[in-house]
Amino acid sequence: TGVIRTALHNMDREAREHYSVVIQAKDMAGQVGGLSGSTTVNITLTDVNDNPPRFPQKHYQLYVPESAQVGSAVGKIKANDADTGSNADMKYTIINGDGTGVFSISTDKETREGILSLKKPLNYEKKKSYTLNIEGANTHLDFRFSHLGPFKDVTMLKIIVGDVDEPPIFTMPSYVMEVYENAKIGTSVGTVTAQDPDSANSLVRYFIDYNTEEDRYFTIDASTGTIKTAKIFDREETPWCNITVAASEIDNPGLVSHVSVGIRILDVNDNPPELTREYDVVVCENAKPGQVIQTITATDKDNSANGARFHFSLDEGLPLNPNFTLRDNEDNTASILTRRRRYSRTTQDIYYLPVLISDGGVPPLSSSSTLTIRVCACERDGRVRTCHAEAFLSSAGLSTGALIAILLCVIILLAIVVLFITLRHSKKEPLIISEEDVRENVVTYDDEGGGEEDTEAFDITALRNPSAAEELKYRRDVRPEVKPVPRHHPSPSLDSIDVQEFIKQRLAEADLDPSVPPYDSLQTYAYEGYRSEAGSISSLDSATTHSDQDYNYLGDWGPEFKKLAELYGEIESERTT
């Protein structure tokens, strides 16, 4: 076998890392005539941490503008290490200097650089430079080579702060102001102040960012920063407002800074107290004097400073209430008590009790509320049995079934009355309008008869003449669509009347008349007819002279005319005599 050993002491990888060695092997123990072979062996030296880190410079200088943002990286620094891999890992720290509280440093493991960051804002007007001592040290040490150390290095970094035109800075990070509710428009709330941090100290202009509705409730003086109200506030509706005020330099309006302003609306005693809710107060019929029937409480929309203490009382302007009284419990509650015993629903079922409530604000406010107290029937233990009106009827001995029966009877009677009235209104009037119907004339005689004098009592020709009736009758049941043409006929003489022809004529007219209804119609004509052969037996026909007629022929007419024949036979015999 062949063993390769180092021939030099303290070989340095950083000086030479790779070596090539040619190895030859011979047989026959190296004798002449033996055979040989050769090969090349490449040797690489591995790294050990035997080189400490070193900064290229002992002094560095860095420029950082004062406008740099907190948390941002403002610079980098790096120490060199000849080793590789983990042997070259290092950590950077700030060991001293006046900027330890303003700056911080971290290590980038990939590039092995120190990253300098800003911890606090810079202000050129307050401090123009900072000095830092930065140390870079290996994190993996090999104690075999500790005598080569120390394995760290230190450098000094000077940071120059650059002057930048900055926006105005408010004297406070936020403001809290107060204003009373109901204050007049234009009331001053408070003042905000901002200054230009630059050496130029430019003038500042103020304005409100109108981003929300609340921002429009206020105005601000552009020069002084005084905030004023633009509306009248009600604390019960808007107890707090938040606005944003901006400030900018007049010379450079693009540089703007903002601040939050909270405005608290202070309370004024402008709301009277009132009952917490609508109370349903009940008093039992068997209540005793001094019995508490209800405890009431009040509330106030104002805050506790203007409404924490309430006082309850009855209205002193009214006469003393004989039924109920009120007791102030002095804990913002009051009790309603009875003054007498025995309440009756039949006498009075509802009572009203006015209650006056006042608060302890400045100035004190009061309001009046009216309690409605119902009288109810209660059990012996005080539980309410009923407060409804049917309890009164029950006490009179009427059950619910009886009430329903009475109600049904009343409804039926009303229906009958309505039906009767309807039928009376719907009764039809006569179909024919006529001021005088000659066929219905009835003459009533109250005496026993006047003999021959009756001949002039009534004109018989009115009954014997059909043309005496009205020429045209109108029906009441149908409104004619076509107005009928009046028909005029010559009045025939009494002896030339033909009743049969007259009726046929009227029938034809009714059939051809378009104004008559389509259903049957009845028209009646009264006519006594022609003279009979026997002649008239009425005394009306013998007007002024005595008749010489012979009435003996009446005996030949049969038994029906026997009495009449005897009567006229006696008259005839008297005449002869």
mmCIF file of all heavy atoms in Angstrom, residues 36-59:
data_model
loop_
_atom_site.group_PDB
_atom_site.id
_atom_site.type_symbol
_atom_site.label_atom_id
_atom_site.label_comp_id
_atom_site.label_asym_id
_atom_site.label_seq_id
_atom_site.Cartn_x
_atom_site.Cartn_y
_atom_site.Cartn_z
ATOM 1 N N SER A 36 5.823 -0.948 -14.375
ATOM 2 C CA SER A 36 5.338 0.118 -13.474
ATOM 3 C C SER A 36 4.051 0.737 -14.029
ATOM 4 O O SER A 36 3.735 0.635 -15.208
ATOM 5 C CB SER A 36 6.414 1.193 -13.284
ATOM 6 O OG SER A 36 6.663 1.854 -14.534
ATOM 7 N N GLY A 37 3.346 1.395 -13.142
ATOM 8 C CA GLY A 37 2.132 2.143 -13.527
ATOM 9 C C GLY A 37 2.034 3.426 -12.691
ATOM 10 O O GLY A 37 2.573 3.494 -11.581
ATOM 11 N N SER A 38 1.408 4.459 -13.174
ATOM 12 C CA SER A 38 1.327 5.730 -12.462
ATOM 13 C C SER A 38 -0.128 6.261 -12.497
ATOM 14 O O SER A 38 -0.917 5.931 -13.370
ATOM 15 C CB SER A 38 2.271 6.765 -13.066
ATOM 16 O OG SER A 38 1.923 7.041 -14.422
ATOM 17 N N THR A 39 -0.474 7.157 -11.543
ATOM 18 C CA THR A 39 -1.807 7.812 -11.466
ATOM 19 C C THR A 39 -1.659 9.176 -10.817
ATOM 20 O O THR A 39 -0.646 9.441 -10.135
ATOM 21 C CB THR A 39 -2.795 6.960 -10.646
ATOM 22 O OG1 THR A 39 -4.071 7.584 -10.721
ATOM 23 C CG2 THR A 39 -2.375 6.851 -9.196
ATOM 24 N N THR A 40 -2.570 10.016 -11.032
ATOM 25 C CA THR A 40 -2.549 11.374 -10.468
ATOM 26 C C THR A 40 -3.606 11.471 -9.369
ATOM 27 O O THR A 40 -4.782 11.135 -9.579
ATOM 28 C CB THR A 40 -2.826 12.430 -11.542
ATOM 29 O OG1 THR A 40 -1.842 12.322 -12.578
ATOM 30 C CG2 THR A 40 -2.788 13.823 -10.945
ATOM 31 N N VAL A 41 -3.221 11.968 -8.233
ATOM 32 C CA VAL A 41 -4.138 12.149 -7.095
ATOM 33 C C VAL A 41 -4.311 13.657 -6.873
ATOM 34 O O VAL A 41 -3.309 14.358 -6.671
ATOM 35 C CB VAL A 41 -3.587 11.473 -5.826
ATOM 36 C CG1 VAL A 41 -4.526 11.731 -4.660
ATOM 37 C CG2 VAL A 41 -3.406 10.001 -6.070
ATOM 38 N N ASN A 42 -5.568 14.148 -6.941
ATOM 39 C CA ASN A 42 -5.895 15.553 -6.684
ATOM 40 C C ASN A 42 -6.283 15.706 -5.219
ATOM 41 O O ASN A 42 -7.203 15.028 -4.714
ATOM 42 C CB ASN A 42 -7.038 16.032 -7.567
ATOM 43 C CG ASN A 42 -6.656 16.013 -9.034
ATOM 44 O OD1 ASN A 42 -5.526 16.368 -9.392
ATOM 45 N ND2 ASN A 42 -7.581 15.597 -9.901
ATOM 46 N N ILE A 43 -5.616 16.580 -4.542
ATOM 47 C CA ILE A 43 -5.835 16.781 -3.107
ATOM 48 C C ILE A 43 -6.374 18.192 -2.898
ATOM 49 O O ILE A 43 -5.799 19.170 -3.392
ATOM 50 C CB ILE A 43 -4.530 16.570 -2.331
ATOM 51 C CG1 ILE A 43 -4.009 15.141 -2.562
ATOM 52 C CG2 ILE A 43 -4.755 16.836 -0.861
ATOM 53 C CD1 ILE A 43 -2.633 14.934 -1.986
ATOM 54 N N THR A 44 -7.493 18.319 -2.156
ATOM 55 C CA THR A 44 -8.111 19.617 -1.806
ATOM 56 C C THR A 44 -8.066 19.793 -0.303
ATOM 57 O O THR A 44 -8.491 18.906 0.458
ATOM 58 C CB THR A 44 -9.565 19.681 -2.290
ATOM 59 O OG1 THR A 44 -9.597 19.503 -3.713
ATOM 60 C CG2 THR A 44 -10.203 21.009 -1.942
ATOM 61 N N LEU A 45 -7.580 20.950 0.121
ATOM 62 C CA LEU A 45 -7.520 21.242 1.538
ATOM 63 C C LEU A 45 -8.891 21.753 2.014
ATOM 64 O O LEU A 45 -9.508 22.626 1.397
ATOM 65 C CB LEU A 45 -6.450 22.298 1.809
ATOM 66 C CG LEU A 45 -5.007 21.925 1.445
ATOM 67 C CD1 LEU A 45 -4.051 23.072 1.780
ATOM 68 C CD2 LEU A 45 -4.590 20.667 2.162
ATOM 69 N N THR A 46 -9.394 21.188 3.072
ATOM 70 C CA THR A 46 -10.656 21.650 3.664
ATOM 71 C C THR A 46 -10.381 22.842 4.554
ATOM 72 O O THR A 46 -9.288 23.000 5.105
ATOM 73 C CB THR A 46 -11.317 20.533 4.481
ATOM 74 O OG1 THR A 46 -10.416 20.109 5.501
ATOM 75 C CG2 THR A 46 -11.682 19.368 3.592
ATOM 76 N N ASP A 47 -11.471 23.694 4.714
ATOM 77 C CA ASP A 47 -11.310 24.945 5.440
ATOM 78 C C ASP A 47 -11.527 24.733 6.935
ATOM 79 O O ASP A 47 -12.353 23.921 7.367
ATOM 80 C CB ASP A 47 -12.301 25.990 4.930
ATOM 81 C CG ASP A 47 -12.124 27.324 5.588
ATOM 82 O OD1 ASP A 47 -11.004 27.844 5.533
ATOM 83 O OD2 ASP A 47 -13.124 27.853 6.161
ATOM 84 N N VAL A 48 -10.802 25.476 7.707
ATOM 85 C CA VAL A 48 -10.998 25.583 9.146
ATOM 86 C C VAL A 48 -11.050 27.061 9.476
ATOM 87 O O VAL A 48 -10.576 27.907 8.715
ATOM 88 C CB VAL A 48 -9.880 24.888 9.945
ATOM 89 C CG1 VAL A 48 -9.886 23.384 9.703
ATOM 90 C CG2 VAL A 48 -8.532 25.497 9.615
ATOM 91 N N ASN A 49 -11.702 27.370 10.595
ATOM 92 C CA ASN A 49 -11.858 28.774 10.990
ATOM 93 C C ASN A 49 -10.553 29.247 11.634
ATOM 94 O O ASN A 49 -10.414 29.300 12.855
ATOM 95 C CB ASN A 49 -13.025 28.936 11.967
ATOM 96 C CG ASN A 49 -13.387 30.398 12.184
ATOM 97 O OD1 ASN A 49 -12.880 31.282 11.499
ATOM 98 N ND2 ASN A 49 -14.259 30.641 13.159
ATOM 99 N N ASP A 50 -9.650 29.590 10.779
ATOM 100 C CA ASP A 50 -8.370 30.065 11.271
ATOM 101 C C ASP A 50 -8.084 31.492 10.835
ATOM 102 O O ASP A 50 -6.964 31.986 10.995
ATOM 103 C CB ASP A 50 -7.229 29.156 10.781
ATOM 104 C CG ASP A 50 -7.184 29.059 9.268
ATOM 105 O OD1 ASP A 50 -8.159 29.514 8.617
ATOM 106 O OD2 ASP A 50 -6.220 28.533 8.731
ATOM 107 N N ASN A 51 -9.145 32.170 10.282
ATOM 108 C CA ASN A 51 -8.983 33.549 9.847
ATOM 109 C C ASN A 51 -10.092 34.397 10.479
ATOM 110 O O ASN A 51 -11.293 34.164 10.239
ATOM 111 C CB ASN A 51 -9.070 33.677 8.327
ATOM 112 C CG ASN A 51 -7.906 32.986 7.637
ATOM 113 O OD1 ASN A 51 -6.789 33.480 7.626
ATOM 114 N ND2 ASN A 51 -8.166 31.814 7.065
ATOM 115 N N PRO A 52 -9.801 35.363 11.289
ATOM 116 C CA PRO A 52 -10.821 36.229 11.882
ATOM 117 C C PRO A 52 -11.363 37.200 10.844
ATOM 118 O O PRO A 52 -10.700 37.495 9.838
ATOM 119 C CB PRO A 52 -10.060 36.958 12.992
ATOM 120 C CG PRO A 52 -8.647 36.967 12.539
ATOM 121 C CD PRO A 52 -8.439 35.707 11.755
ATOM 122 N N PRO A 53 -12.591 37.756 11.048
ATOM 123 C CA PRO A 53 -13.152 38.739 10.117
ATOM 124 C C PRO A 53 -12.410 40.060 10.245
ATOM 125 O O PRO A 53 -11.937 40.436 11.328
ATOM 126 C CB PRO A 53 -14.609 38.847 10.564
ATOM 127 C CG PRO A 53 -14.614 38.434 11.992
ATOM 128 C CD PRO A 53 -13.545 37.404 12.146
ATOM 129 N N ARG A 54 -12.374 40.792 9.147
ATOM 130 C CA ARG A 54 -11.679 42.059 9.127
ATOM 131 C C ARG A 54 -12.473 43.061 8.273
ATOM 132 O O ARG A 54 -12.913 42.746 7.160
ATOM 133 C CB ARG A 54 -10.265 41.912 8.539
ATOM 134 C CG ARG A 54 -9.312 41.102 9.401
ATOM 135 C CD ARG A 54 -8.956 41.857 10.690
ATOM 136 N NE ARG A 54 -8.025 41.093 11.517
ATOM 137 C CZ ARG A 54 -8.388 40.328 12.530
ATOM 138 N NH1 ARG A 54 -9.677 40.198 12.825
ATOM 139 N NH2 ARG A 54 -7.465 39.706 13.246
ATOM 140 N N PHE A 55 -12.692 44.260 8.844
ATOM 141 C CA PHE A 55 -13.340 45.335 8.068
ATOM 142 C C PHE A 55 -12.301 45.948 7.140
ATOM 143 O O PHE A 55 -11.161 46.199 7.555
ATOM 144 C CB PHE A 55 -13.901 46.410 8.999
ATOM 145 C CG PHE A 55 -15.169 45.996 9.722
ATOM 146 C CD1 PHE A 55 -15.124 45.608 11.064
ATOM 147 C CD2 PHE A 55 -16.389 45.992 9.059
ATOM 148 C CE1 PHE A 55 -16.282 45.224 11.727
ATOM 149 C CE2 PHE A 55 -17.543 45.614 9.723
ATOM 150 C CZ PHE A 55 -17.509 45.221 11.053
ATOM 151 N N PRO A 56 -12.687 46.220 5.954
ATOM 152 C CA PRO A 56 -11.711 46.818 5.041
ATOM 153 C C PRO A 56 -11.244 48.183 5.507
ATOM 154 O O PRO A 56 -10.115 48.579 5.236
ATOM 155 C CB PRO A 56 -12.474 46.924 3.724
ATOM 156 C CG PRO A 56 -13.563 45.908 3.825
ATOM 157 C CD PRO A 56 -13.950 45.884 5.263
ATOM 158 N N GLN A 57 -12.147 48.934 6.213
ATOM 159 C CA GLN A 57 -11.788 50.268 6.677
ATOM 160 C C GLN A 57 -12.090 50.374 8.169
ATOM 161 O O GLN A 57 -12.987 49.708 8.699
ATOM 162 C CB GLN A 57 -12.588 51.355 5.932
ATOM 163 C CG GLN A 57 -12.368 51.385 4.431
ATOM 164 C CD GLN A 57 -13.249 52.413 3.747
ATOM 165 O OE1 GLN A 57 -13.605 52.243 2.618
ATOM 166 N NE2 GLN A 57 -13.585 53.497 4.433
ATOM 167 N N LYS A 58 -11.359 51.208 8.821
ATOM 168 C CA LYS A 58 -11.593 51.439 10.227
ATOM 169 C C LYS A 58 -12.597 52.571 10.462
ATOM 170 O O LYS A 58 -13.137 52.687 11.561
ATOM 171 C CB LYS A 58 -10.272 51.787 10.916
ATOM 172 C CG LYS A 58 -9.323 50.606 11.016
ATOM 173 C CD LYS A 58 -9.965 49.478 11.830
ATOM 174 C CE LYS A 58 -9.036 48.291 11.983
ATOM 175 N NZ LYS A 58 -9.671 47.179 12.732
ATOM 176 N N HIS A 59 -12.876 53.368 9.435
ATOM 177 C CA HIS A 59 -13.840 54.455 9.548
ATOM 178 C C HIS A 59 -14.743 54.471 8.301
ATOM 179 O O HIS A 59 -14.244 54.373 7.182
ATOM 180 C CB HIS A 59 -13.135 55.814 9.699
ATOM 181 C CG HIS A 59 -12.344 55.933 10.961
ATOM 182 N ND1 HIS A 59 -11.031 55.509 11.062
ATOM 183 C CD2 HIS A 59 -12.677 56.427 12.190
ATOM 184 C CE1 HIS A 59 -10.574 55.728 12.272
ATOM 185 N NE2 HIS A 59 -11.561 56.288 12.987
#
